[in-house]
Amino acid sequence: MHGNVLELAMDISRITGEKIAGLEQIMLKTKMLSINARLEAARAGEIGQSFSVVAREMGTVADEVNAMSAELNRAMNDNAARIEQAGREMMLGMRGSRLADIARNTVEIIDRNLYERSCDVRWWATDSAVVDAVESPAIEAARHASSRLATILRSYTVYLDLWIADATGRIVATGRPERYPGLTGRDVSREDWFREGIQTADGDAFTVCDVAQNPALGGADVAAYATAIRVGGEPNGRALGVLGIFFDWRPQAQAIVTGVSLSDEERAASRVMLLDARHKVIASSDGRTGDTFALKAEAAWGHYAEGRKLVAYGLTPGYETYQGLGWYGCIETSAAL
């Protein structure tokens, strides 16, 4: 619709310019007729004097009309340029707002996904097999817990692995020992997910860490969630250890940033990203991650033009009990589309 308005304004300007040019041609002919009439009046001598006065007046009127036409033409050109600029700004603003909505929706989708991860970790930490592994530590209890974690992983394919650590930070059971061997007995007491997980206030609390590579999981990018495993699996029970779950970040996030609703032209000229709170690129439609994007966010949602680029962004609003980590959805595209 806005494109049609701009085209209409430009058509009006073009048609008006054509009419002014036509009027100038008529006045030029009138001017020439006036000159010819004055020449003929001069040849007629005294008899043509009165006609000469009329001819001079015709020339004066033609000059005045030409001057008015030139002024009108200047005004129309100036207004047409202003209308065209205003139209382009309006179209850019509408497009920027639409892309900002898409950017915010992108980060909302991932946060809804990660909210489910926070539910998973709190639920599984109360599983009797998980609790027994740290409440009544024994080889058989650890084997049973590992079997239980493996069963969960067969159904929840978005995870790379699930780990149970005791109160000292020693891993006692994992869900995929065949894929990631040698983890049992590993000391994770200094890792953020464990340190924050053991300090959670109750069974309703959890911790989540920013996306980072985990060397123990083949260097894969993971989002780690954790909560304390408590006596009897009770919400207010004493913390006996920590359950850590490791979300396979890259394929899940990549599917989201490449699946946004853009036209083929927009998609070819755009980079859709997820940024962490420090504006580090943690997912990108072009596959490039790890760089820091110079986002100039002045609000929770918006867009701005920078050179030949249009940047649209949206800050995570969180979802349910998941407050988010200050991440942004962001789209950088060509301003000329």
Side-chain angles (χ1 to χ4, degrees):
M1 180 182 72
H2 298 94
N4 292 338
V5 171
L6 183 58
E7 290 175 6
L8 179 59
M10 294 176 69
D11 283 345
I12 292 173
S13 175
R14 177 182 56 79
I15 293 169
T16 303
E18 290 173 355
K19 298 304 179 185
I20 290 174
L23 181 60
E24 289 175 343
Q25 287 297 317
I26 293 172
M27 289 301 102
L28 179 60
K29 291 178 181 179
T30 302
K31 182 76 172 178
M32 294 302 297
L33 287 173
S34 172
I35 292 171
N36 290 334
R38 289 169 65 184
L39 290 173
E40 292 300 323
R43 288 198 190 115
E46 187 177 347
I47 298 174
Q49 287 182 359
S50 59
F51 187 66
S52 178
V53 173
V54 174
R56 281 197 299 272
E57 288 300 318
M58 287 176 61
T60 300
V61 170
D63 288 340
E64 291 176 351
V65 172
N66 277 333
M68 291 178 62
S69 296
E71 184 177 350
L72 179 59
N73 197 37
R74 284 194 298 272
M76 282 300 303
N77 285 337
D78 181 58
N79 287 336
R82 290 166 61 189
I83 290 171
E84 182 176 355
Q85 181 61 27
R88 294 190 188 283
E89 289 177 357
M90 178 176 65
M91 292 174 67
L92 189 64
M94 293 297 294
R95 182 163 160 254
S97 294
R98 169 178 162 268
L99 292 178
D101 277 336
I102 293 175
R104 183 166 56 183
N105 183 61
T106 301
V107 76
E108 283 180 336
I109 291 173
I110 194 66
D111 272 355
R112 290 179 185 181
N113 192 317
L114 297 182
Y115 162 72
E116 294 179 6
R117 313 289 69 88
S118 73
C119 296
D120 291 345
V121 72
R122 287 176 287 181
W123 170 29
W124 297 335
T126 65
D127 187 283
S128 60
V130 173
V131 174
D132 287 346
V134 289
E135 189 172 41
S136 305
I139 294 177
E140 189 55 39
R143 286 176 179 169
H144 181 55
S146 181
S147 175
R148 174 60 179 157
L149 296 182
T151 299
I152 293 172
L153 286 170
R154 284 195 292 273
S155 299
Y156 290 82
T157 57
V158 297
Y159 294 106
L160 287 175
D161 207 355
L162 313 178
W163 298 350
I164 299 172
D166 65 19
T168 68
R170 184 179 62 87
I171 295 178
V172 298
T174 68
R176 287 193 169 126
E178 71 290 342
R179 181 184 298 184
Y180 306 109
L183 293 181
T184 301
R186 182 187 182 98
D187 183 4
V188 294
S189 61
R190 296 182 180 179
E191 296 186 17
D192 289 343
W193 65 271
F194 176 84
R195 290 189 298 104
E196 295 173 12
I198 199 71
Q199 295 174 10
T200 49
D202 53 44
D204 293 327
F206 67 94
T207 187
V208 55
C209 301
D210 266 322
V211 174
Q213 290 184 340
N214 190 315
L217 297 174
D221 289 334
V222 299
Y225 285 73
T227 192
I229 303 167
R230 301 180 182 277
V231 173
E234 295 296 325
N236 296 314
R238 178 171 56 88
L240 300 171
V242 175
L243 173 65
I245 66 175
F246 302 94
F247 180 68
D248 190 5
W249 170 258
R250 187 173 291 273
Q252 319 305 326
Q254 194 68 23
I256 290 173
V257 295
T258 57
V260 298
S261 299
L262 298 177
S263 67
D264 291 341
E265 184 183 16
E266 286 177 321
R267 195 179 303 280
S270 302
R271 185 186 185 193
V272 183
M273 296 168 282
L274 289 171
L275 312 178
D276 68 14
R278 295 180 296 277
H279 301 169
K280 176 185 174 183
V281 179
I282 54 177
S284 176
S285 57
D286 63 5
R288 292 187 293 116
T289 59
D291 56 310
T292 298
F293 186 79
L295 179 65
K296 299 176 181 177
E298 297 182 353
W301 171 93
H303 61 88
Y304 59 89
E306 188 170 52
R308 297 182 178 181
K309 295 291 186 180
L310 174 64
V311 178
Y313 62 88
L315 174 67
T316 172
Y319 185 73
E320 297 289 347
T321 57
Y322 182 72
Q323 298 303 311
L325 297 172
W327 292 358
Y328 285 88
C330 183
I331 300 175
E332 182 186 50
T333 188
S334 170
L337 291 180

